[in-house]
Amino acid sequence: MTAGRDTITAIATPPGRGGVAIARVSGPSAPAIACSVIGRVPAPRRAVFSRFLDAAGEPLDEGLVLYFPAPASFTGEDVVEFHGHGSPVVCDLLLARLLELGARLAEPGEFSLRAFLNDRIDLVQAEAIADLVASRSAQAARAALRALDGDFSRLVHALVAELTRVRVYVEAAIDFPDDELDFLDDAALRNGLAGLQTRFDALAAALRQGRLLAEGFSIVIAGPPNAGKSSLLNALAGSDTAIVTPVPGTTRDLLREHILLGGMPLNLIDTAGLRDTADLVEREGVRRARGELARADHALLVVDGSTISDAELAALRAELPEGLPHTLVLNKHDLGHPPGLAPDRHSAVAVSALTGAGLDALRAALIQAAGLAEDTTTTITARRRHLDALARARGHLDEGLEQLETWRAGELLAEELRLAQNELGTITGMVTSDDLLGEIFSSFCIGK
C-alpha cells in the first residue's frame, strides 16, 4: 500500500479564535500552491514572512510560511505550512484558497497515515501522536512522547528478533530430520522458549501500565436504585455532574466524568440502578448499565450500607459480569450499618457521599485496584489493541509449547511461532490491513 499522489490540506490547529492558526499542505502540488499563494517557493526549512494572496492578488492574511521538501518532512512528501492569524473567518478564506489551487481536504489522521505509509513513522509512533495530543496528565504526555521516540517499537522489535532466532533454530532442525530427536530434547531450545515467555510477560506488564495512562481506568458505578451512586460520582468528581433526588431511578442514561487520581486518568461512568422494572426508559438504562459493566476495567458496587442485607448483597454481586474486579462501597455510612454488615467483613469501603467520610480510603482503593506503578518514568503509552495483539501472540507461543510437549511436533511449533510473529507485526504495522489502518487513523483529529 502506498500513499496517494494527490495533495491534501487542513487547518492543523484547533478551531476558534487565537493568535496563530496553521494551514498544512502535503503532496506533490505543495510547492506550486505556495508559489501561487505567496509568489515564490520558500527556501527549505526556513521561515519566511509573506502576505497570503487570493486569486485576484489581494491579501487574505499575512504570516510565516515554511517549506519542507520530500522526503525530509513529517509525511515524507513535500509539505508547506502557512502560519497565519487565528481568526475562523481568515482560516476559512485561506483554506478555500488552498482548495481552489487543487488540494483536497484531508481526512482525519491522513497526514499521520501518509507518514506511516512513507516509512517516516511506524504504527505505534502514529498512535503515540494522537495519544500525545489527547493526554490528560503529565505522566501520560511523557509516556506518549517515549512511544513517539520509538521506545515502544524497540521493545517489540527486540521481542520479534528473539522470536525469529528461535524460529530459525526450529525450522533449520526440521530440515534435518535425522537430528530431530536431539532438537526436541535440546536444552537451548527450551531455554529459548522460556526466555520468550519471560519477555512476553515483561512487555505485557509494561503495556498494561501504558494503557492506563493513555486510555484511563474505566470504572462503572453500579448498584441498586437510591444507593447514592450519583452522589458518589459527584463527590469523586468534585462537581454536580449528576442530578440527585430521593426518588429511586433518577438516573436513566449513562453519565461520564473524567478525573485524575494520583496522576492516573479515571473514566467514571454512573449508571441506572440495577433492578427489574416495567418502565421502558428505565429498562433501557439498566440495559446500558449492563453493557458498560461488560466493558469496564473495574466496578464500584455501591449499596446503601445502612439497610442492605447479606442476601441482597449476594444477589447484586451475582449480577456483575463473571471475572469483573469490583470494590464494594457501603454508602450512607453516616447512618450506620446493620448488624453483621461491618465493612471489614466484606472487604468493603465504608463512605458517606453526603459528608465525604471515607472518600480518601476509596480513592486509595481505586489506585490500588488500577495497579498503576508509583514510578512511571519508563512507562510507554499503549492501547487495548496492543495488549490484545500481544495476548494473541502469547497464545500462539503457548500452543506451540503444548504441541511440542504433547506430540513432539516440531512442525506445529514452527507454525505457531510464525503466527505469533505475525501478531507482533500488527502492533508496529509490519503486518497490517486497510481495515486496521482505517480504524486507527479515523480517530485522529483533522490536520494530524
Side-chain angles (χ1 to χ4, degrees):
M1 185 175 182
T2 57
R5 295 304 300 161
D6 53 349
T7 298
I8 58 174
T9 186
I11 303 299
T13 44
R17 291 179 175 84
V20 177
I22 300 174
R24 178 179 288 164
V25 183
S26 179
S29 299
I33 288 175
C35 190
S36 297
V37 173
I38 68 171
R40 57 180 168 141
V41 179
R45 289 173 291 280
R46 296 190 64 179
V48 297
F49 180 80
S50 182
R51 287 189 171 186
F52 309 157
L53 306 177
D54 65 13
E58 295 297 320
L60 297 171
D61 193 12
E62 61 182 19
L64 299 178
V65 183
L66 293 99
Y67 170 48
F68 303 93
S73 70
F74 172 66
T75 64
E77 304 172 332
D78 288 333
V79 172
V80 175
E81 291 184 354
F82 299 89
H83 296 229
H85 293 95
S87 159
V89 173
V90 172
C91 288
D92 287 344
L93 289 172
L94 178 58
L95 186 59
R97 175 63 172 149
L98 299 176
L99 296 173
E100 178 185 65
L101 290 169
R104 68 165 173 81
L105 191 63
E107 297 176 2
E110 191 168 3
F111 291 97
S112 297
L113 174 60
R114 291 192 173 198
F116 167 71
L117 294 175
N118 289 321
D119 296 323
R120 298 294 296 170
I121 55 176
D122 63 24
L123 204 50
V124 166
Q125 290 172 302
E127 290 170 303
I129 294 170
D131 293 336
L132 185 59
V133 171
S135 56
R136 289 181 278 160
S137 69
Q139 293 94 323
R142 286 192 287 267
L145 191 57
R146 282 189 284 271
L148 182 58
D149 286 341
D151 289 4
F152 186 176
S153 302
R154 282 188 285 273
L155 289 174
V156 175
H157 291 317
L159 182 54
V160 169
E162 182 63 19
L163 187 58
T164 301
R165 187 186 68 80
V166 177
R167 274 191 67 195
V168 168
Y169 181 84
V170 172
E171 294 183 9
I174 292 172
D175 289 337
F176 299 94
D178 291 342
D179 298 331
E180 185 171 1
L181 290 178
D182 292 337
F183 143 68
L184 292 175
D185 293 326
D186 193 345
L189 171 62
R190 298 184 182 277
N191 290 338
L193 293 172
L196 278 174
Q197 289 179 312
T198 301
R199 280 177 174 264
F200 267 99
D201 292 342
L203 184 56
L207 295 194
R208 280 192 290 269
Q209 294 289 311
R211 181 187 159 260
L212 286 177
L213 290 178
E215 297 182 356
F217 192 59
S218 179
I219 301 174
V220 171
I221 304 175
N226 215 29
K229 299 186 299 298
S230 297
S231 297
L232 184 62
L233 173 70
N234 291 344
L236 290 172
S239 63
D240 291 332
T241 299
I243 297 175
V244 176
T245 75
V247 180
T250 300
T251 300
R252 304 294 184 92
D253 209 346
L254 303 174
L255 295 176
R256 302 176 188 273
E257 188 70 33
H258 304 290
I259 66 173
L260 277 178
L261 191 59
M264 177 182 63
L266 296 184
N267 305 317
L268 299 175
I269 307 166
D270 186 22
T271 60
L274 300 177
R275 67 172 175 178
D276 294 327
T277 175
D279 186 297
L280 289 178
V281 178
E282 188 178 357
R283 188 185 303 168
E284 174 62 17
V286 174
R287 186 192 69 80
R288 295 186 182 190
R290 297 189 191 283
E292 286 299 323
L293 282 168
R295 294 185 290 271
D297 295 314
H298 196 84
L300 289 183
L301 183 57
V302 182
V303 299
D304 183 345
S306 67
T307 62
I308 192 77
S309 68
D310 278 342
E312 291 170 325
L313 185 56
L316 284 169
R317 278 179 155 158
E319 291 195 53
L320 296 177
E322 185 177 355
L324 175 64
H326 70 277
T327 299
L328 176 62
V329 180
L330 301 181
N331 195 21
K332 306 185 182 182
H333 187 55
D334 50 303
L335 301 180
H337 54 78
L341 244 180
D344 55 355
R345 177 184 171 190
H346 293 273
S347 300
V349 180
V351 305
S352 171
L354 178 64
T355 67
L359 289 181
D360 286 342
L362 179 57
R363 293 186 182 100
L366 290 178
I367 292 176
Q368 183 177 9
L372 184 67
E374 293 184 8
D375 182 9
T376 60
T377 56
T378 60
T379 302
I380 46 178
T381 190
R383 297 186 173 193
R384 186 181 293 274
R385 82 163 190 93
H386 303 144
L387 281 164
D388 290 344
L390 191 67
R392 291 192 298 269
R394 173 61 189 267
H396 286 300
L397 174 63
D398 292 343
E399 178 64 22
L401 280 166
E402 183 175 344
Q403 297 294 341
L404 182 65
E405 295 289 345
T406 304
W407 306 106
R408 301 176 65 79
E411 293 86 351
L412 295 179
L413 170 61
E415 174 62 11
E416 293 296 340
L417 292 178
R418 183 189 69 81
L419 293 173
Q421 187 168 339
N422 282 348
E423 290 293 350
L424 291 177
T426 66
I427 295 178
T428 59
M430 291 183 290
V431 178
T432 189
S433 68
D434 289 351
D435 290 342
L436 176 63
L437 295 181
E439 179 182 345
I440 290 173
F441 288 100
S442 64
S443 65
F444 281 46
C445 55
I446 299 290
K448 293 298 179 188

